Amino acid sequence: MGIVAGLDSSPDFTRIVVCDTDTGAVLRQGYAPHPVEGRPSDVDPQAWLLSLGEAAGGGLLEGVQAIGVSAQQNALVPLDAQGNTVRPALTGGDKRAQVAAADLVDALGGREAWAQAVGSVPQAAQPVTKLRWLAKSEPENAQRTAVLLQAHDWLVWQLLGRPVRRTTDRGGASGTGYWSAATGGYRPDLVELALGHQAMLPEVIGPSDAAGTTPEGLLISAGTGETMAAAFGLGIGLGDAVVSLGASGSVMAVHPEALADQSGMITSLADATGMHLPVVTTLNAVRTLRGTAELLGLPDLESLSELAMKSTPGSHGLVLLPYLEGERTPNLPHTAGTLAGLRRESMRPEHLARAAFEGMLCGLADALDVLRARGVDVRRIFLLGPAAELPAVQAAAPSLFGAQVVVVQPADYAAIGAARQAAWALGVSQGTLDPRTPPAWQGAAAQVLEPGEELAVGQAVRQQFTSVREQAHPGAFHS
């Protein structure tokens, strides 16, 4: 019986959970916000260390044998040859880098060339794009940049006392835009294309490998990005997909191989276990519901859900294509939303409310189909985000997705995933666990919803949505 800790450094705070090594039961936890107001694009990484220290206060880590680190993805920490930060870390979906993303796409010869090279097309958030922005906007800082780390790499390196060896994992590396999940190797030529010169990159270690031990003898595992840590904390495996309902939506699934997608709709990430995590994002999820609630003069999403439940599947023929901010899946960046099927009998608030839920979920079902069309097996879908608790979402999701839907109780899954990784590395180092098989922890507490007899009704609603989409945007998924 041992205890391990998982540390999640998100964009806003640090959360630490201390777990039982064998069962994964959370024994104690700590929390501290970063000492930074709002979500700036430039953050001194010392802020992450300060909140880490605060979250770990009061003897929280007493008796802990190993620590795993999960951290926000896409945060680029440029270091000079001495290991000092050249400038604050570039974090988040940095709007400044949008032009740089388009530049890079052209420089390599288009979207397909990038998809083939590293399994993703440069987006503003990615480290490779931030390097191009740095080279163009801060050439002196770019010149001084000798080492490239991401947030979790930097934190692991600090915890270990800044050793000569710097490490990362497949999950974190797969989001950089200069590491290929398909080949398992870096593309230094793409670093040079973006930054203008080569830089030192951290060594990619295996999922159950230890990054090292602290001066006090604490084992530190490989660490990973927040998405991969959350998937690991949830315990998803082959046949599982995760649908995240934020303002925008994302669908990811576990798959045994990397998927290169020439359209750029699939981002080919690696997970924290040695498998792959293809991800498809939609720009419009909960923002569709919020916009509809405002249009109908409703105070919150609970009221919108209650109203939608007064309508019936199919919303009396009303169909909302929820492309309010343009859309990535399908790739329609400059389009707007569409409301179709207006008849005198369908022009009621409850039918519009229902159409908003169905439109959002059909958009996510389209994203799921992008993965299914590539041979990804989806038998069970984990639904995440506060909106997953809404009765209107739970009533419609199983039949529209055509699969069992699991609504998990809110918990710190990224921190739990980091702790599970620490337990794995600890077990392997002690010879009690197989490096290929992670510890079997108890699954997330959840509510399970089956499509049951509603499946045919859900398919009819999907068909209605697809007809309107094809009419408004012919061939959007085939071009």
Side-chain angles (χ1 to χ4, degrees):
M1 286 287 288
I3 55 171
V4 290
L7 180 166
D8 177 38
S9 180
S10 84
D12 301 312
F13 56 78
T14 300
R15 202 179 283 285
I16 301 174
V17 296
V18 175
C19 298
D20 178 284
T21 312
D22 299 324
T23 64
V26 177
L27 306 173
R28 42 185 197 257
Q29 40 195 320
Y31 166 88
H34 296 320
V36 179
E37 288 300 310
R39 277 194 181 186
S41 296
D42 296 324
V43 177
D44 181 349
Q46 294 297 329
W48 307 331
L49 280 184
L50 288 168
S51 69
L52 193 168
E54 199 183 319
L60 184 78
L61 298 178
E62 226 163 88
V64 162
Q65 295 165 279
I67 297 178
V69 177
S70 146
Q72 59 178 304
Q73 278 151 250
N74 297 323
L76 179 73
V77 187
L79 304 179
D80 63 18
Q82 284 69 49
N84 303 312
T85 48
V86 168
R87 69 175 316 287
L90 291 145
T91 67
D94 202 326
K95 291 273 195 284
R96 296 173 299 187
Q98 279 171 337
V99 174
D103 263 7
L104 279 177
V105 171
D106 291 345
L108 195 65
R111 298 166 66 86
E112 286 183 24
W114 278 97
Q116 291 296 340
V118 287
S120 63
V121 177
Q123 307 288 339
Q126 277 180 308
V128 72
T129 308
K130 290 170 173 158
L131 289 179
R132 169 58 71 112
W133 178 86
L134 195 63
K136 290 273 193 273
S137 308
E138 300 178 3
E140 285 171 13
N141 284 338
Q143 271 311 119
R144 287 174 50 221
T145 298
V147 182
L148 302 177
L149 296 180
Q150 290 189 88
H152 86 81
D153 311 336
W154 187 84
L155 285 165
V156 164
W157 184 58
Q158 296 290 331
L159 290 173
L160 291 173
R162 298 164 63 107
V164 174
R165 178 192 190 218
R166 300 178 185 92
T167 61
T168 189
D169 84 308
R170 296 167 66 253
S174 68
T176 58
Y178 44 79
W179 185 87
S180 161
T183 65
Y186 279 118
R187 289 288 302 264
D189 57 316
L190 299 182
V191 173
E192 194 165 332
L193 180 73
L195 185 61
H197 62 88
Q198 293 291 341
M200 288 270 297
L201 300 169
E203 178 190 337
V204 181
I205 61 176
S208 61
D209 291 348
T213 46
T214 67
E216 302 77 38
L218 253 179
L219 185 96
I220 308 288
S221 64
T224 194
E226 244 175 351
T227 299
M228 298 78 192
F232 196 43
L234 281 166
I236 70 167
L238 288 172
D240 292 335
V242 176
V243 173
S244 296
L245 300 175
S248 53
S250 74
V251 175
M252 66 177 177
V254 180
H255 197 54
E257 57 190 18
L259 297 176
D261 173 48
Q262 300 187 347
S263 72
M265 280 195 285
I266 299 174
T267 298
S268 203
L269 299 177
D271 80 346
T273 73
M275 301 289 263
H276 294 269
L277 272 183
V279 180
V280 180
T281 46
T282 68
L283 293 183
N284 302 281
V286 176
R287 63 165 47 98
T288 309
L289 304 182
R290 293 208 185 283
T292 309
E294 280 173 31
L295 184 67
L296 291 170
L298 298 170
D300 51 37
L301 298 186
E302 286 70 23
S303 311
L304 185 71
S305 171
E306 203 177 311
L307 184 62
M309 294 300 279
K310 293 178 178 160
S311 179
T312 51
S315 314
H316 272 246
L318 267 196
V319 174
L320 178 63
L321 298 184
Y323 307 150
L324 310 182
E325 299 276 318
E327 191 45 85
R328 267 189 70 180
T329 308
N331 187 27
L332 299 165
H334 307 299
T335 193
T338 303
L339 184 62
L342 283 169
R343 290 198 175 82
R344 180 63 194 90
E345 65 272 17
S346 65
M347 295 177 80
R348 296 183 60 84
E350 62 267 30
H351 302 325
L352 179 55
R354 176 99 192 187
F357 282 96
E358 290 178 346
M360 172 185 81
L361 291 168
C362 283
L364 288 160
D366 279 350
L368 267 169
D369 283 351
V370 169
L371 294 178
R372 284 175 166 141
R374 294 297 304 277
V376 177
D377 183 23
V378 179
R379 293 190 300 274
R380 183 171 66 154
I381 293 167
F382 286 78
L383 204 51
L384 303 188
E389 303 287 329
L390 296 171
V393 169
Q394 296 190 4
S399 65
L400 292 178
F401 292 159
Q404 184 187 75
V405 169
V406 179
V407 182
V408 296
Q409 279 181 4
D412 305 307
Y413 292 110
I416 290 166
R420 189 177 175 209
Q421 189 196 60
W424 194 7
L426 181 67
V428 169
S429 77
Q430 294 171 339
T432 56
L433 285 178
D434 183 322
R436 294 178 306 267
T437 313
W441 280 11
Q442 58 205 25
Q447 189 184 353
V448 177
L449 309 166
E450 299 284 357
E453 291 163 11
E454 296 293 305
L455 193 55
V457 177
Q459 285 174 328
V461 175
R462 280 288 311 277
Q463 191 49 56
Q464 179 176 279
F465 179 89
T466 305
S467 303
V468 172
R469 190 195 67 223
E470 278 298 309
Q471 220 171 341
H473 308 286
F477 274 108
H478 316 294
S479 50

